[in-house]
Amino acid sequence: MNMRIRIEQVDDYSVTEQVVKSAFANAEFSDHKEHELVSRIRKSDAFIPALSLVAIDEENQEIVGHILLSKISIRNDNQSIESLALAPVSVLPDYQSKGIGKKLILEALQKAKERGYQSVVVLGHSEYYPKFGFQKASHWGIKAPFDVPDEVFLALELQENALAQVSGVVEYSSAFFE
């Protein structure tokens, strides 16, 4: 399958939200509202248009996947460090297990690194995300603002030692909690 990845355009929004909704329709650990989260993030200060990417099936020019990185901060009593949240990554069910999610993640991480971002946090599968270099966020003393198992709250340094002096609680955009 020929596929290309590009930055999501405003005209893509409704199609993208359907892709996200379909991708999570049968997901075990889902509230099935990820598409609403994407919409809310787009309307928030946390949205970075250049880090909202879509995967296009070149054969039929259909959007088959989407990834979104948005601004978060990691705070403690002494500091607040800007970081990114990877959430969500979505691929249409018929296109899953074909490497599209992997390509979206790699492209998004590369674009974030090129833009000077230092780190990314994800709440995700403990077997999947370490393939991209993610480690338990607790390794750096980084905690989620809600109760989640340690092995599914992960972080990645985009720049060497970016998290070496960082610890605290992740502060997500209010879009995540509406």
Side-chain angles (χ1 to χ4, degrees), residues 8-73:
E8 180 188 38
Q9 306 299 310
V10 173
D11 291 348
D12 300 329
Y13 287 4
S14 62
V15 174
T16 300
E17 288 174 27
Q18 279 306 120
V19 168
V20 175
K21 187 174 184 177
S22 296
F24 285 94
N26 297 314
E28 183 180 355
F29 299 105
S30 169
D31 64 1
H32 306 290
K33 294 182 180 180
E34 288 82 2
H35 61 292
E36 294 174 15
L37 172 62
V38 168
S39 179
R40 289 192 310 267
I41 291 171
R42 283 196 203 106
K43 297 170 188 162
S44 77
D45 292 343
F47 184 54
I48 308 165
L51 297 179
S52 183
L53 307 177
V54 292
I56 311 281
D57 179 346
E58 291 280 46
E59 193 173 310
N60 58 20
Q61 295 301 305
E62 177 184 18
I63 294 175
V64 298
H66 174 256
I67 190 169
L68 181 61
L69 296 177
S70 59
K71 294 178 195 173
I72 59 168
S73 59

Side-chain angles (χ1 to χ4, degrees), residues 49-111:
L51 297 179
S52 183
L53 307 177
V54 292
I56 311 281
D57 179 346
E58 291 280 46
E59 193 173 310
N60 58 20
Q61 295 301 305
E62 177 184 18
I63 294 175
V64 298
H66 174 256
I67 190 169
L68 181 61
L69 296 177
S70 59
K71 294 178 195 173
I72 59 168
S73 59
I74 303 168
R75 294 183 187 271
N76 63 30
D77 292 339
N78 303 313
Q79 66 181 354
S80 176
I81 304 297
E82 186 176 68
S83 186
L84 297 170
L86 189 167
V89 59
S90 313
V91 177
L92 285 174
D94 289 349
Y95 290 85
Q96 291 176 4
S97 302
K98 296 182 179 187
I100 296 169
K102 177 181 178 179
K103 288 178 183 170
L104 281 165
I105 291 168
L106 291 172
E107 183 77 13
L109 294 176
Q110 182 60 38
K111 285 190 177 305

